[in-house]
Amino acid sequence: MFLLQMRMKAILNRAPSLGVPTHIAIVMDGNGRWATRRLLPRLAGHRQGMESLRRCIRACLERGVAVLTVFAFSSENWNRPAEEVSGLMELLAGALAKEVPQMHADGVRLHFVGERANLSEKVRTGLTTAEQATAGNDRLILNVCFNYGGRWDLVQAAAKLAAAKVEVTEATLASALALAHVADPDLLIRTGGELRLSNFLLWQAAYAELYFSEMLWPDFDEAELDRAIAAYAKRERRYGRVPSPASSSASTSSSRQSQAA
Ligand code: IPE
Ligand code: IPE
Ligand code: MG
């Protein structure tokens, strides 16, 4: 099983270096501030954030993005007031009932990524039902990270390997992570203006291109997504290598001269 996952990962890892990213990951931050600025309860911001996600999924489908991974609830978000946490759980349960049929019709395949043990029975059943219902779709893979943390993922992966007595290598660890079914993200966007990962995709973001947006998540729209994609298209992904000859600049031509001399 590990071998198969590793082969799949190798195939999926052939991401284009220019143009539209194959895999976009988003920290959907800023819902609370969006609401507070309007003198609304924070939950109103989360509700509006759901609208924004719907718009973003449509935009990704239109642009041919293959994988979208969103951070919806972190391992640390349990530390928020009980009312906000239960509101977020209800929002998820409601979204499972309301949004999944349209996603299915649009060819979206859903995966929920995160610890499920401390979610309610109702939510857990809803997650499994949504995943099963959309399992045959292939236009867009949507990974919803809920009750997720990068550290949680690394620990559960290490525990899985230890239990199976599998040697720990980069490849076996990667294949035991909760996002082993997709290649690493090409572009990681964080809205809301904070310049941090907040425990998102600690392993998978190793070579992601980062884009920080001042826009609060409920305001994030197609135009801002296109700005992020345009910024990504201009980046040179080197993976530790030296710049490619195609991206030669004045400094490269001067090094060519010194080579000739
Ligand atoms: C992100 O928005 C959504 C979740 C973390 C659930 P926030 O709720 O963190 O919004 P801000 O950062 O307080 O504005
Ligand atoms: C990250 O946002 C988590 C999600 C967007 C789900 P937070 O609002 O929880 O992150 P911090 O607290 O600003 O680091
Ligand atoms: Mg926040």
Side-chain angles (χ1 to χ4, degrees), residues 104-255:
H104 184 40
D106 290 338
V108 175
R109 178 172 187 172
L110 267 162
H111 288 271
F112 290 93
V113 179
E115 176 58 65
R116 299 191 188 191
N118 46 354
L119 301 179
S120 73
E121 179 73 45
K122 183 186 164 197
V123 166
R124 280 208 306 262
T125 309
L127 301 185
T128 312
T129 308
E131 285 177 335
Q132 286 169 351
T134 61
N137 297 335
D138 61 5
R139 265 189 82 199
L140 174 74
I141 292 180
L142 174 63
N143 299 308
V144 178
C145 297
F146 196 92
N147 197 15
Y148 169 88
R151 289 177 177 181
W152 162 81
D153 197 11
L154 285 162
V155 169
Q156 71 78 29
K160 232 193 272 177
L161 295 185
K165 295 193 166 46
V166 173
E167 186 195 0
V168 177
T169 66
E170 225 175 88
T172 59
L173 188 64
S175 72
L177 292 169
L179 277 168
H181 58 286
V182 289
D184 290 344
D186 302 294
L187 170 64
L188 191 155
I189 301 171
R190 181 172 183 143
T191 63
E194 308 294 357
L195 306 180
R196 55 179 173 254
L197 288 178
S198 301
N199 202 10
F200 190 44
L201 306 182
L202 296 183
W203 173 280
Q204 297 87 346
Y207 275 102
E209 296 297 328
L210 308 181
Y211 184 88
F212 294 99
S213 169
E214 285 297 323
M215 216 171 242
L216 302 176
W217 175 248
D219 294 325
F220 187 85
D221 58 6
E222 292 89 347
E224 185 66 350
L225 177 67
D226 285 338
R227 278 189 284 274
I229 293 175
Y232 167 80
K234 286 195 201 127
R235 309 269 178 93
E236 189 194 12
R237 305 183 76 187
R238 287 194 290 279
Y239 300 97
R241 301 186 195 110
V242 296
S244 67
S247 66
S248 65
S249 61
S251 67
T252 325
S253 67
S254 68
S255 76

Side-chain angles (χ1 to χ4, degrees), residues 28-33 42 46 72 77 80 84 88:
M28 309 185 291
D29 194 28
N31 295 348
R33 280 164 283 167
R42 289 177 59 88
H46 295 312
N77 288 150
R80 296 187 175 202
E84 181 166 347
L88 283 163

Side-chain angles (χ1 to χ4, degrees), residues 52-70:
S52 196
L53 176 57
R54 198 182 298 135
R55 181 168 57 206
C56 184
I57 294 167
R58 203 178 321 117
C60 286
L61 282 165
E62 287 165 4
R63 283 152 185 77
V65 172
V67 185
L68 174 66
T69 300
V70 295

